Amino acid sequence: KAGVTQTPRYLIKTRGQQVTLSCSPISGHRSVSWYQQTPGQGLQFLFEYFSETQRNKGNFPGRFSGRQFSNSRSEMNVSTLELGDSALYLCASSPQVQETQYFGPGTRLLVL
Amino acid sequence: GENVEQHPSTLSVQEGDSAVIKCTYSDSASNYFPWYKQELGKRPQLIIDIRSNVGEKKDQRIAVTLNKTAKHFSLHITETQPEDSAVYFCAASNPGGPYNTDKLIFGTGTRLQVFP
């Protein structure tokens, strides 16, 4: 099976802009979780989707949002970008909730 | 709130020695504890995990132990090799949200360097 894929792999934006990141889970996986990875804060949970429903959410401001489509693909959106949003954004998929998660390669976002 | 502490932040060992990384968690409801290895520029990859009904699990040179009473778990790597050099993350499940499903809370990572 193909692994988790994320697009784009790299992105440069300026403050105030918005960005949409995409994640395609492993075929048959229905749960998708998103994480933000920064050198200072490590891996932080953003949200989890299962069957198009957001089932859990981390402690991020409302500028961070997401959704999941009927084919389990997921997108996350960050509006009004701030310099501190520069990070590696990772998604992970699992067959069901509360099972082993498999990570994608990540999207590296740089906000100037 | 939920928290996972991981120590040490860096660890240097000689090839062939053992390496131990320790994590403590705050939520007594946590019941799933995976360990991920992240090589430079690559995605985190699961190397071993343990559930709360088991005290120890081993897979070749890697083992994980869990002490639910003390709320800590550890990764043990024996006979280390240079290719074990990477950042290792522990994580603990944290149930919550309207559906009471788990999210993973990660430790801050341990950079392991294995010198030939």
Short mmCIF file of all heavy atoms in Angstrom, two decimals, chain A residues 37-74:
data_model
loop_
_atom_site.label_atom_id
_atom_site.label_comp_id
_atom_site.label_asym_id
_atom_site.label_seq_id
_atom_site.Cartn_x
_atom_site.Cartn_y
_atom_site.Cartn_z
N GLN A 37 4.99 20.45 14.19
CA GLN A 37 6.29 20.16 14.78
C GLN A 37 7.20 21.36 14.65
O GLN A 37 7.45 21.85 13.54
CB GLN A 37 6.94 18.93 14.12
CG GLN A 37 8.24 18.52 14.80
CD GLN A 37 8.84 17.24 14.27
OE1 GLN A 37 8.63 16.85 13.12
NE2 GLN A 37 9.58 16.54 15.12
N THR A 38 7.69 21.85 15.78
CA THR A 38 8.64 22.94 15.81
C THR A 38 9.80 22.54 16.71
O THR A 38 9.64 21.72 17.61
CB THR A 38 8.00 24.24 16.37
OG1 THR A 38 7.50 23.97 17.69
CG2 THR A 38 6.88 24.71 15.48
N PRO A 39 10.99 23.13 16.48
CA PRO A 39 12.14 22.77 17.32
C PRO A 39 11.90 23.05 18.80
O PRO A 39 12.30 22.30 19.65
CB PRO A 39 13.27 23.64 16.76
CG PRO A 39 12.86 23.94 15.36
CD PRO A 39 11.37 24.04 15.39
N GLY A 40 11.18 24.12 19.09
CA GLY A 40 10.99 24.48 20.49
C GLY A 40 9.88 23.74 21.20
O GLY A 40 9.97 23.44 22.38
N GLN A 41 8.82 23.41 20.47
CA GLN A 41 7.62 22.81 21.09
C GLN A 41 7.43 21.34 20.76
O GLN A 41 6.50 20.72 21.26
CB GLN A 41 6.38 23.58 20.64
CG GLN A 41 6.37 25.04 21.05
CD GLN A 41 6.29 25.21 22.53
OE1 GLN A 41 5.59 24.48 23.22
NE2 GLN A 41 7.04 26.17 23.06
N GLY A 42 8.26 20.78 19.92
CA GLY A 42 8.10 19.36 19.60
C GLY A 42 6.87 19.12 18.74
O GLY A 42 6.46 19.97 17.96
N LEU A 43 6.26 17.97 18.93
CA LEU A 43 5.08 17.57 18.16
C LEU A 43 3.83 17.90 18.96
O LEU A 43 3.62 17.38 20.04
CB LEU A 43 5.09 16.06 17.92
CG LEU A 43 5.86 15.54 16.71
CD1 LEU A 43 6.23 14.09 16.89
CD2 LEU A 43 5.01 15.69 15.46
N GLN A 44 3.00 18.75 18.40
CA GLN A 44 1.78 19.14 19.11
C GLN A 44 0.54 18.78 18.30
O GLN A 44 0.47 19.09 17.11
CB GLN A 44 1.81 20.64 19.43
CG GLN A 44 2.88 20.99 20.45
CD GLN A 44 2.69 22.39 20.99
OE1 GLN A 44 2.82 23.35 20.27
NE2 GLN A 44 2.35 22.49 22.27
N PHE A 45 -0.42 18.19 18.99
CA PHE A 45 -1.64 17.72 18.34
C PHE A 45 -2.53 18.90 17.95
O PHE A 45 -2.79 19.79 18.76
CB PHE A 45 -2.38 16.81 19.33
CG PHE A 45 -3.73 16.36 18.89
CD1 PHE A 45 -3.88 15.31 18.00
CD2 PHE A 45 -4.88 16.98 19.37
CE1 PHE A 45 -5.14 14.88 17.60
CE2 PHE A 45 -6.14 16.56 18.98
CZ PHE A 45 -6.26 15.50 18.10
N LEU A 46 -2.99 18.87 16.70
CA LEU A 46 -3.90 19.91 16.21
C LEU A 46 -5.34 19.42 16.26
O LEU A 46 -6.18 20.00 16.92
CB LEU A 46 -3.53 20.30 14.78
CG LEU A 46 -2.36 21.26 14.63
CD1 LEU A 46 -1.71 21.13 13.28
CD2 LEU A 46 -2.83 22.70 14.85
N PHE A 47 -5.65 18.39 15.49
CA PHE A 47 -7.00 17.81 15.50
C PHE A 47 -7.00 16.44 14.86
O PHE A 47 -6.04 16.05 14.19
CB PHE A 47 -8.06 18.69 14.81
CG PHE A 47 -7.54 19.68 13.81
CD1 PHE A 47 -6.96 19.26 12.63
CD2 PHE A 47 -7.66 21.05 14.04
CE1 PHE A 47 -6.49 20.16 11.70
CE2 PHE A 47 -7.20 21.97 13.10
CZ PHE A 47 -6.61 21.53 11.94
N GLU A 48 -8.10 15.73 15.08
CA GLU A 48 -8.29 14.40 14.51
C GLU A 48 -9.65 14.32 13.84
O GLU A 48 -10.65 14.83 14.38
CB GLU A 48 -8.20 13.32 15.58
CG GLU A 48 -8.40 11.91 15.00
CD GLU A 48 -8.82 10.88 16.02
OE1 GLU A 48 -9.05 11.24 17.19
OE2 GLU A 48 -8.95 9.71 15.63
N TYR A 49 -9.68 13.69 12.68
CA TYR A 49 -10.92 13.49 11.95
C TYR A 49 -11.16 12.01 11.71
O TYR A 49 -10.21 11.24 11.49
CB TYR A 49 -10.88 14.22 10.60
CG TYR A 49 -11.00 15.70 10.75
CD1 TYR A 49 -9.89 16.49 10.96
CD2 TYR A 49 -12.25 16.31 10.72
CE1 TYR A 49 -10.00 17.85 11.14
CE2 TYR A 49 -12.37 17.68 10.89
CZ TYR A 49 -11.24 18.44 11.10
OH TYR A 49 -11.36 19.79 11.28
N PHE A 50 -12.41 11.65 11.78
CA PHE A 50 -12.83 10.28 11.50
C PHE A 50 -14.20 10.35 10.85
O PHE A 50 -15.11 10.99 11.40
CB PHE A 50 -12.89 9.44 12.78
CG PHE A 50 -13.28 8.01 12.57
CD1 PHE A 50 -12.35 7.09 12.15
CD2 PHE A 50 -14.59 7.60 12.78
CE1 PHE A 50 -12.71 5.77 11.94
CE2 PHE A 50 -14.96 6.28 12.57
CZ PHE A 50 -14.02 5.37 12.15
N SER A 51 -14.34 9.72 9.72
CA SER A 51 -15.62 9.73 8.98
C SER A 51 -16.17 11.15 8.86
O SER A 51 -17.33 11.41 9.17
CB SER A 51 -16.65 8.84 9.67
OG SER A 51 -16.27 7.49 9.56
N GLU A 52 -15.30 12.06 8.43
CA GLU A 52 -15.65 13.46 8.13
C GLU A 52 -16.02 14.27 9.36
O GLU A 52 -16.50 15.40 9.22
CB GLU A 52 -16.80 13.51 7.10
CG GLU A 52 -16.49 12.78 5.80
CD GLU A 52 -17.64 12.80 4.82
OE1 GLU A 52 -18.01 13.89 4.36
OE2 GLU A 52 -18.17 11.71 4.51
N THR A 53 -15.82 13.72 10.56
CA THR A 53 -16.17 14.43 11.78
C THR A 53 -14.91 14.72 12.59
O THR A 53 -14.05 13.85 12.74
CB THR A 53 -17.13 13.58 12.64
OG1 THR A 53 -18.30 13.31 11.87
CG2 THR A 53 -17.50 14.30 13.92
N GLN A 54 -14.81 15.94 13.09
CA GLN A 54 -13.69 16.26 13.98
C GLN A 54 -13.97 15.66 15.34
O GLN A 54 -14.93 16.05 16.01
CB GLN A 54 -13.51 17.78 14.10
CG GLN A 54 -12.25 18.15 14.91
CD GLN A 54 -12.11 19.66 15.06
OE1 GLN A 54 -12.61 20.24 16.02
NE2 GLN A 54 -11.42 20.28 14.13
N ARG A 55 -13.13 14.73 15.78
CA ARG A 55 -13.40 14.01 17.01
C ARG A 55 -12.58 14.52 18.19
O ARG A 55 -12.88 14.19 19.33
CB ARG A 55 -13.15 12.52 16.79
CG ARG A 55 -14.06 11.94 15.74
CD ARG A 55 -14.39 10.50 16.04
NE ARG A 55 -15.53 10.07 15.24
CZ ARG A 55 -16.41 9.17 15.63
NH1 ARG A 55 -16.27 8.61 16.81
NH2 ARG A 55 -17.40 8.83 14.86
N ASN A 56 -11.54 15.25 17.90
CA ASN A 56 -10.71 15.74 18.99
C ASN A 56 -9.94 16.95 18.48
O ASN A 56 -9.67 17.06 17.28
CB ASN A 56 -9.74 14.64 19.46
CG ASN A 56 -9.54 14.67 20.96
OD1 ASN A 56 -9.58 15.74 21.58
ND2 ASN A 56 -9.32 13.52 21.56
N LYS A 57 -9.61 17.83 19.40
CA LYS A 57 -8.96 19.07 19.01
C LYS A 57 -7.92 19.44 20.04
O LYS A 57 -8.14 19.28 21.24
CB LYS A 57 -10.01 20.18 18.90
CG LYS A 57 -9.54 21.44 18.23
CD LYS A 57 -10.68 22.44 18.11
CE LYS A 57 -10.32 23.63 17.24
NZ LYS A 57 -9.11 24.34 17.66
N GLY A 58 -6.79 19.96 19.58
CA GLY A 58 -5.75 20.41 20.48
C GLY A 58 -5.94 21.86 20.86
O GLY A 58 -6.95 22.49 20.54
N ASN A 59 -4.96 22.41 21.54
CA ASN A 59 -5.05 23.77 22.06
C ASN A 59 -4.45 24.78 21.10
O ASN A 59 -3.43 25.41 21.39
CB ASN A 59 -4.34 23.86 23.41
CG ASN A 59 -4.98 22.95 24.44
OD1 ASN A 59 -6.20 22.80 24.47
ND2 ASN A 59 -4.17 22.32 25.27
N PHE A 60 -5.07 24.92 19.95
CA PHE A 60 -4.63 25.90 18.96
C PHE A 60 -5.75 26.90 18.72
O PHE A 60 -6.94 26.59 18.89
CB PHE A 60 -4.26 25.18 17.65
CG PHE A 60 -2.89 24.58 17.65
CD1 PHE A 60 -2.66 23.35 18.25
CD2 PHE A 60 -1.82 25.25 17.08
CE1 PHE A 60 -1.39 22.80 18.28
CE2 PHE A 60 -0.54 24.70 17.08
CZ PHE A 60 -0.33 23.47 17.69
N PRO A 61 -5.39 28.13 18.31
CA PRO A 61 -6.43 29.14 18.08
C PRO A 61 -7.31 28.76 16.90
O PRO A 61 -7.00 27.90 16.09
CB PRO A 61 -5.62 30.42 17.78
CG PRO A 61 -4.27 29.94 17.39
CD PRO A 61 -4.02 28.66 18.11
N GLY A 62 -8.45 29.46 16.81
CA GLY A 62 -9.43 29.18 15.79
C GLY A 62 -8.94 29.42 14.36
O GLY A 62 -9.60 29.02 13.41
N ARG A 63 -7.77 30.07 14.23
CA ARG A 63 -7.20 30.27 12.88
C ARG A 63 -6.84 28.93 12.22
O ARG A 63 -6.70 28.85 11.01
CB ARG A 63 -5.92 31.12 12.96
CG ARG A 63 -6.10 32.49 13.55
CD ARG A 63 -4.83 33.31 13.48
NE ARG A 63 -3.73 32.74 14.26
CZ ARG A 63 -2.67 32.14 13.75
NH1 ARG A 63 -2.55 32.00 12.44
NH2 ARG A 63 -1.71 31.67 14.54
N PHE A 64 -6.69 27.92 13.05
CA PHE A 64 -6.37 26.58 12.55
C PHE A 64 -7.67 25.79 12.42
O PHE A 64 -8.41 25.63 13.40
CB PHE A 64 -5.42 25.87 13.51
CG PHE A 64 -4.05 26.46 13.55
CD1 PHE A 64 -3.79 27.59 14.33
CD2 PHE A 64 -3.01 25.89 12.84
CE1 PHE A 64 -2.52 28.15 14.37
CE2 PHE A 64 -1.73 26.44 12.89
CZ PHE A 64 -1.49 27.57 13.65
N SER A 65 -7.94 25.33 11.24
CA SER A 65 -9.16 24.55 11.03
C SER A 65 -8.86 23.40 10.07
O SER A 65 -7.80 23.37 9.43
CB SER A 65 -10.28 25.42 10.46
OG SER A 65 -9.91 25.93 9.19
N GLY A 66 -9.79 22.49 9.99
CA GLY A 66 -9.57 21.36 9.09
C GLY A 66 -10.88 20.77 8.65
O GLY A 66 -11.96 21.21 9.08
N ARG A 67 -10.76 19.79 7.78
CA ARG A 67 -11.94 19.03 7.37
C ARG A 67 -11.49 17.72 6.76
O ARG A 67 -10.31 17.55 6.41
CB ARG A 67 -12.78 19.82 6.38
CG ARG A 67 -12.07 20.23 5.09
CD ARG A 67 -13.03 20.96 4.17
NE ARG A 67 -12.37 21.47 2.97
CZ ARG A 67 -13.04 21.94 1.91
NH1 ARG A 67 -14.35 21.95 1.91
NH2 ARG A 67 -12.37 22.38 0.86
N GLN A 68 -12.43 16.82 6.65
CA GLN A 68 -12.14 15.54 6.05
C GLN A 68 -13.23 15.23 5.04
O GLN A 68 -14.42 15.49 5.28
CB GLN A 68 -12.08 14.42 7.10
CG GLN A 68 -11.64 13.08 6.54
CD GLN A 68 -11.59 11.98 7.59
OE1 GLN A 68 -12.41 11.96 8.50
NE2 GLN A 68 -10.65 11.07 7.46
N PHE A 69 -12.84 14.68 3.93
CA PHE A 69 -13.77 14.36 2.86
C PHE A 69 -14.23 12.91 2.93
O PHE A 69 -13.67 12.12 3.70
CB PHE A 69 -13.12 14.66 1.50
CG PHE A 69 -12.66 16.09 1.36
CD1 PHE A 69 -11.36 16.45 1.67
CD2 PHE A 69 -13.54 17.08 0.96
CE1 PHE A 69 -10.94 17.77 1.57
CE2 PHE A 69 -13.13 18.40 0.86
CZ PHE A 69 -11.83 18.75 1.16
N SER A 70 -15.21 12.59 2.12
CA SER A 70 -15.79 11.24 2.18
C SER A 70 -14.78 10.16 1.79
O SER A 70 -14.93 9.00 2.18
CB SER A 70 -17.02 11.15 1.28
OG SER A 70 -16.69 11.47 -0.05
N ASN A 71 -13.73 10.52 1.07
CA ASN A 71 -12.70 9.53 0.71
C ASN A 71 -11.57 9.49 1.74
O ASN A 71 -10.52 8.91 1.49
CB ASN A 71 -12.13 9.82 -0.67
CG ASN A 71 -11.45 11.19 -0.76
OD1 ASN A 71 -11.43 11.93 0.23
ND2 ASN A 71 -10.90 11.52 -1.91
N SER A 72 -11.79 10.12 2.89
CA SER A 72 -10.87 10.19 4.02
C SER A 72 -9.72 11.17 3.84
O SER A 72 -8.98 11.42 4.79
CB SER A 72 -10.30 8.81 4.40
OG SER A 72 -11.32 7.97 4.86
N ARG A 73 -9.55 11.73 2.66
CA ARG A 73 -8.54 12.78 2.49
C ARG A 73 -8.89 13.95 3.40
O ARG A 73 -10.07 14.22 3.69
CB ARG A 73 -8.50 13.23 1.05
CG ARG A 73 -7.32 14.15 0.70
CD ARG A 73 -7.30 14.51 -0.78
NE ARG A 73 -8.41 15.37 -1.17
CZ ARG A 73 -8.40 16.70 -1.05
NH1 ARG A 73 -7.36 17.31 -0.56
NH2 ARG A 73 -9.45 17.41 -1.44
N SER A 74 -7.85 14.62 3.88
CA SER A 74 -8.08 15.70 4.84
C SER A 74 -7.31 16.94 4.41
O SER A 74 -6.27 16.85 3.75
CB SER A 74 -7.67 15.26 6.24
OG SER A 74 -7.84 16.31 7.17
#
